[in-house]
Amino acid sequence: MRIKLGLMFVSVLACSCSISLDVSAQNLRDAVVFALENHPSVEGARLGYAAAEHGKDATFSGFFPEISIGVMAGRTFQDNATSRGLAVTRGAAYSGLGEGNITMRQMLFDGFEVRNRVRSANARMQSLDYTLMDIEGLVTLRVAQSYVDILRIHHALRILSEQSTSIKDYEKRITDMVSEGVADEVELQQARDVAMIIEGVRSEYEGQLVSARAMYAEAAGQPFVDGVDHTFVSLASFINEDAAVAVALSKENHPALQSARMDSKAARHDMRAEHARMYPDVNGELSYAKTDKKDVIGGETEDARAVIRMSWNFSTGGKEFSSVRQKRYEHYEMAAKHEALEREIERDIYQAYANYHTLERKVALAIDRVDLNEKLMAAYDAKFEGARITLLGLMRAESQLFNARLAEIDNKYYLLSAEYGVLASLGTLKDILISEKDEE
């Protein structure tokens, strides 16, 4: 029995060491790629970018000439100097009426309003592009962490299943010893209490598994598939050990900050566009118009013009000044939001690094704890052979060893999730995870 348990412990240890993350990331990468292609939030961001692109094109059209065409046909009644001079009856006349005109207007000067609106539209388009990148990063993080969480729970449940089998064997042996009068009923009840504790922990992990599967299905857009060789890799080599350096780089390149920066730039150009409305508008105009009606009320007329028009409109209530002030404060608001977001990202990066380094220490301690409990188990086994401890004491020692292994497995998977969290806080997780090559 001890040989069997020893072999089982070795297999569990080998299993726990197998998550040293030297395997392929293919399955996780496929899940991330599928999520980025199908997640509604990513699709919505793409559609928003496409809409902004067309909005920019519509604004840019303000640089080009505008053509107006008008046609009218009907009947008219007129009483004017011409009709009164030519008509022999009432001095008025009826006539069929046809009119046609075409006008081309070209903006010559508008205080640079169109130019600033085009630049604003371009900045907003870039902002939405960075927003898309940021959303893709968040979706990638949710997929990766829920994926790893499911594997962690599966691994933990395998260990708990093995532990439960071993505890039931101990319980049966103690029951036999009670029947033989070698042990008392108290030891049997204590053994059953240990078994119930294990079942309680197992139920907790099963509940976590349901929650993790739901999170994965929402993020990845498909259910987690069991029965395949799910694999992943550690990305610790991509983490800059100096958090301050990482923060400085992130302030320059983080998609969310870039998006906020572009929003502030767009608001600045909107402010300048409103200020441009205080200047006169100068337009060149080419037009041709023709009217056809009876000679008695004017006959055919033609009007062809090539002119330059200047218009300068003011609101006596100070509308233009208020609009400029409104846009100025909106620009200040965007700049303040950018600064606030910069602080939030800096905070998130330092927190992610703190969690990562904490888990590194916890993994090291968990490994040492497993080693210690293995030595304790060997010592307890020797004492049991010498009849110096009871079978219940040996069972508790083995249960303590299982719990140490369970903590080691949990912390190793938590460390992997923390790696993903650090890279996500820096805005680089998606690119690294998708581009990372498989390593067998």
Side-chain angles (χ1 to χ4, degrees):
M1 182 64 185
R2 288 193 299 275
I3 295 175
K4 179 181 178 182
L5 288 175
L7 291 174
M8 183 180 67
F9 289 159
V10 171
S11 67
V12 173
L13 179 60
C15 188
S16 66
C17 293
S18 68
I19 69 166
S20 59
L21 313 177
D22 58 346
V23 290
S24 167
Q26 180 63 39
N27 288 334
L28 176 56
R29 187 195 307 164
D30 287 348
V32 169
V33 170
F34 183 87
L36 295 181
E37 291 176 350
N38 298 278
H39 199 281
S41 63
V42 176
E43 181 64 19
R46 288 197 188 103
L47 294 173
Y49 176 82
E53 189 174 21
H54 288 294
K56 175 193 171 184
D57 293 340
T59 306
F60 187 76
S61 67
F63 286 118
F64 296 90
E66 180 183 282
I67 297 177
S68 301
I69 299 175
V71 178
M72 181 180 67
R75 189 167 176 79
T76 182
F77 166 81
Q78 292 188 11
D79 185 352
N80 53 39
T82 303
S83 64
R84 285 193 292 272
L86 298 177
V88 296
T89 54
R90 297 178 301 170
Y94 291 91
S95 172
L97 176 64
E99 288 186 2
N101 62 80
I102 180 170
T103 303
M104 184 178 72
R105 299 180 184 87
Q106 171 63 54
M107 180 270 294
L108 301 179
F109 178 76
D110 65 348
F112 307 110
E113 179 181 353
V114 173
R115 185 181 71 175
N116 280 292
R117 295 206 183 279
V118 169
R119 291 179 176 178
S120 174
N122 185 63
R124 294 194 190 284
M125 189 174 70
Q126 293 180 54
S127 172
L128 289 171
D129 188 25
Y130 286 120
T131 298
L132 171 61
M133 295 169 60
D134 187 49
I135 291 175
E136 287 178 337
L138 294 175
V139 170
T140 299
L141 177 63
R142 295 212 305 273
V143 172
Q145 289 190 330
S146 58
Y147 183 98
V148 170
D149 212 29
I150 292 173
L151 298 185
R152 174 187 68 82
I153 298 169
H154 278 168
H155 202 157
L157 287 173
R158 288 197 299 271
I159 292 178
L160 286 169
S161 178
E162 294 169 356
Q163 185 179 6
S164 179
T165 300
S166 178
I167 293 300
K168 286 179 181 178
D169 180 71
Y170 275 109
E171 187 178 349
K172 181 179 180 302
R173 292 169 63 188
I174 293 175
T175 301
D176 293 340
M177 292 172 66
V178 170
S179 300
E180 296 170 0
V182 181
D184 56 27
E185 188 68 23
V186 174
E187 290 187 34
L188 179 59
Q189 297 304 323
Q190 289 177 332
R192 289 174 178 171
D193 181 64
V194 173
M196 285 188 287
I197 291 175
I198 294 172
E199 288 303 313
V201 174
R202 190 172 180 174
S203 298
E204 182 178 348
Y205 274 95
E206 288 172 349
Q208 292 179 17
L209 181 60
V210 174
S211 177
R213 284 180 177 276
M215 293 179 64
Y216 178 84
E218 181 277 328
Q222 57 184 345
F224 188 86
V225 180
D226 294 315
V228 298
D229 183 21
H230 293 285
T231 52
F232 48 88
V233 292
S234 171
L235 302 178
S237 60
F238 293 95
I239 297 177
N240 193 319
E241 288 300 323
D242 191 336
V245 174
V247 168
L249 292 174
S250 181
K251 286 182 178 180
E252 295 296 325
N253 303 306
H254 198 287
L257 282 178
Q258 294 279 44
S259 177
R261 200 170 289 130
M262 289 298 104
D263 283 338
S264 178
K265 183 177 179 180
R268 183 172 69 250
H269 286 297
D270 283 341
M271 176 186 67
R272 292 175 178 174
E274 287 296 327
H275 190 269
R277 298 177 67 177
M278 295 183 176
Y279 294 94
D281 291 338
V282 180
N283 296 312
E285 183 178 301
L286 295 174
S287 64
Y288 176 79
K290 184 175 181 179
T291 304
D292 186 9
K293 53 190 175 182
K294 288 183 178 180
D295 290 342
V296 70
I297 52 175
E300 296 182 0
T301 60
E302 291 187 50
D303 187 353
R305 301 181 184 184
V307 299
I308 293 178
R309 295 182 182 274
M310 185 188 78
S311 60
W312 205 345
N313 300 320
F314 285 101
S315 171
T316 58
K319 175 182 177 181
E320 290 79 11
F321 294 101
S322 296
S323 296
V324 170
R325 294 189 188 103
Q326 176 189 359
K327 295 301 179 181
R328 180 182 296 120
Y329 283 116
E330 287 179 358
H331 169 52
Y332 294 157
E333 179 188 8
M334 291 296 104
K337 286 183 177 180
H338 172 266
E339 183 178 354
L341 182 62
E342 189 175 85
R343 294 185 182 185
E344 291 175 9
I345 289 177
E346 180 176 352
R347 175 204 64 199
D348 292 344
I349 292 174
Y350 279 117
Q351 287 180 343
Y353 265 88
N355 183 47
Y356 172 65
H357 291 309
T358 299
L359 284 166
E360 279 186 320
R361 292 192 292 271
K362 290 181 72 173
V363 167
L365 289 173
I367 293 173
D368 291 341
R369 184 166 175 252
V370 168
D371 183 62
L372 175 63
N373 277 275
E374 285 176 344
K375 294 177 181 177
L376 286 173
M377 183 63 193
Y380 270 91
D381 190 53
K383 287 184 177 182
F384 178 74
E385 290 293 333
R388 298 171 60 186
I389 63 169
T390 64
L391 186 60
L392 177 63
L394 184 63
M395 184 191 72
R396 285 178 171 170
E398 184 180 309
S399 178
Q400 187 172 337
L401 175 58
F402 267 113
N403 291 336
R405 295 186 191 283
L406 187 62
E408 179 189 10
I409 292 300
D410 277 347
N411 284 317
K412 282 184 176 181
Y413 280 104
Y414 287 146
L415 178 60
L416 182 64
S417 291
E419 291 176 11
Y420 294 161
V422 169
L423 294 173
S425 69
L426 300 174
T428 59
L429 175 63
K430 183 201 74 172
D431 294 335
I432 292 174
L433 189 59
I434 292 178
S435 63
E436 176 65 5
K437 300 299 182 184
D438 291 351
E439 295 179 2
E440 292 296 338

